[in-house]
Amino acid sequence: MSRPYPDEPAGPFERPPETFTDAHGREIEISVYDDEEFTVLAEMYVAFDPADRAQGIPPANEEAIEEWLDTILESGYDVVAYHGDTCVGHATLVADGDACHELAIFVLDTHQAAGIGSRLLKALLGHAGREGAERVWLTVERWNQAAIALYRKVGFETCDSESFEIEMAIRL
């Protein structure tokens, strides 16, 4: 699928690791995903609030979550956010076969609206950009104004808004 990308790159974005205090006073650590974290990451998705699932992801049961993670973790870039020993966020860029990457980002409902998502997104773009990723796209449900505002703030531009989903893109 051919989609338009902005002419100018966005950023620069910092590369993880990063530790910061979120808006609720919690110490959050963001790092590049390591395969040894698979179980902890899967546990985060098992605990994920069904109301926060969008476009059918993440899957709802443990077996489907593990299969989904096996698929997305093999072909792109991933960063995770921790509060103590608990994984509270994950952002991924999945290669789409077109020398581009599709973005997905998830933060547990208990840790949303605290600045974690924006830091996680910027860390992912910083990591992926330094590893050679150049073009990133995403779809977001048109009613999800908080996510759309976050994506625009980081530098994503709308490239298609014909359906109930908005497609956005960024050049790194």
Side-chain angles (χ1 to χ4, degrees):
M1 176 180 179
S2 179
R3 68 184 49 83
Y5 286 87
D7 292 329
E8 295 299 316
F13 300 105
E14 294 299 316
R15 185 175 189 168
E18 172 187 14
T19 301
F20 67 97
T21 302
D22 76 1
H24 298 292
R26 299 172 293 208
E27 187 169 296
I28 304 297
E29 181 181 335
I30 296 177
S31 60
V32 174
Y33 170 80
D34 181 293
D35 288 340
E36 294 177 13
E37 298 172 292
F38 185 88
T39 300
V40 176
L41 182 57
E43 288 171 359
M44 181 197 88
Y45 284 113
V46 169
F48 211 77
D49 185 342
D52 288 334
R53 297 180 197 280
Q55 301 165 317
I57 57 173
N61 70 59
E62 192 168 350
E63 183 179 332
I65 288 167
E66 290 178 3
E67 289 175 14
W68 174 70
L69 284 173
D70 280 338
T71 301
I72 68 168
L73 293 172
E74 72 183 25
S75 69
Y77 306 98
D78 294 271
V79 296
V80 289
Y82 282 88
H83 174 217
D85 292 334
T86 304
C87 184
V88 298
H90 173 222
T92 184
L93 291 180
V94 179
D96 72 359
D98 241 356
C100 304
H101 291 83
E102 182 178 9
L103 170 76
I105 183 169
F106 304 92
V107 177
L108 284 178
D109 63 330
T110 55
H111 287 71
Q112 291 177 5
I116 297 169
S118 60
R119 298 290 275 270
L120 195 59
L121 176 56
K122 290 174 185 175
L124 175 65
L125 296 175
H127 168 57
R130 281 169 187 74
E131 294 294 320
E134 294 180 18
R135 295 176 293 170
V136 177
W137 64 278
L138 63 89
T139 57
V140 59
E141 293 168 332
R142 130 176 348 271
W143 57 263
N144 194 343
Q145 292 302 314
I148 293 167
L150 167 63
Y151 299 139
R152 284 194 176 125
K153 182 174 150 186
V154 171
F156 280 86
E157 296 179 15
T158 301
C159 54
D160 184 7
S161 59
E162 298 295 317
S163 70
F164 72 94
E165 295 174 341
I166 295 173
E167 189 171 291
M168 302 178 85
I170 193 171
R171 185 177 298 274
L172 300 179

